[in-house]
Amino acid sequence: MSVGSGAGESRGRSPGRSVAGNIAFGAGLLLVLATMTLGAFAGVALTIGLADDSFLSPVVPDDGRNAVGIGGIGMGGLLGLMLPLLLLAAVRGTEEKPRLGPGEALLKALVLVLFSVYLVVVSLLAAQLGWILPEGITTLLSFFIVGFSWAPVALIRWERFGLGGMAGLRPKARVQGGSDKSD
């Protein structure tokens, strides 16, 4: 039995796909990746600008400047990735998964912005290592500090607040075949 497909399954296209649908999916994927990348660049420019030319400049040491940029990457990348997906979920819906209402979409967008600000605050805290550590070590440690700072937030039960952890944006899992037993 081959590894790629089950017995009796064809390797052809599924009946629900079309060339136009594939092109639309590809265009949407490119749009989301572009907004994520541009958002990350914009986040870095914003946070480095805050670290250099604002009221935060005395707080951020020279060796901690890259840590603030790492927080900007997280902030901008997250906003650039999720806001187009939120807009898509607000205008597109099916019978199984209705579209997001304006209030729910706005609430989820506000939560995204607050989480992005949280990432910047964590990066400002990581930048404080620059007072005692050299720049390279501060940058390396801040990468892990900012990168794993979402873990405590992930443990919060967002369903209590009516947010559901952005479950409205994820596609539902489809079960292929009639059996879930492994060989």
Side-chain angles (χ1 to χ4, degrees):
M1 182 182 287
S2 68
V3 175
S5 65
E9 290 182 23
S10 67
R11 290 184 168 245
R13 264 193 277 161
S14 65
R17 285 193 168 168
S18 66
V19 174
N22 287 339
I23 291 172
F25 175 78
L29 182 67
L30 285 176
L31 177 70
V32 168
L33 290 175
T35 58
M36 182 179 68
T37 304
L38 291 174
F41 279 116
V44 170
L46 176 71
T47 54
I48 294 295
L50 284 174
D52 289 343
D53 303 327
S54 75
F55 64 95
L56 292 176
S57 56
V59 177
V60 178
D62 289 336
D63 288 343
R65 186 171 175 264
N66 288 342
V68 179
I70 290 171
I73 291 170
M75 174 191 73
L78 179 70
L79 288 173
L81 173 70
M82 294 303 289
L83 286 179
L85 293 177
L86 262 175
L87 290 173
L88 180 67
V91 297
R92 184 171 183 248
T94 62
E95 291 177 10
E96 297 173 353
K97 186 177 66 171
R99 63 185 186 150
L100 292 177
E104 187 179 9
L106 185 63
L107 180 65
K108 289 185 180 194
L110 180 64
V111 168
L112 280 172
V113 169
L114 290 175
F115 184 69
S116 297
V117 169
Y118 167 77
L119 287 178
V120 171
V121 169
V122 168
S123 71
L124 287 172
L125 293 175
Q128 301 310 308
L129 292 173
W131 294 111
I132 56 175
L133 295 174
E135 183 178 11
I137 296 174
T138 302
T139 302
L140 180 67
L141 289 175
S142 66
F143 175 78
F144 289 105
I145 291 170
V146 172
F148 291 115
S149 67
W150 61 268
V153 177
L155 296 175
I156 296 173
R157 296 189 54 178
W158 294 104
E159 293 82 17
R160 287 182 168 176
F161 305 109
L163 295 172
M166 297 298 186
L169 299 178
R170 284 183 264 162
K172 293 187 179 190
R174 293 183 185 171
V175 177
Q176 295 287 334
S179 172
D180 55 336
K181 294 178 186 175
S182 60
D183 290 333

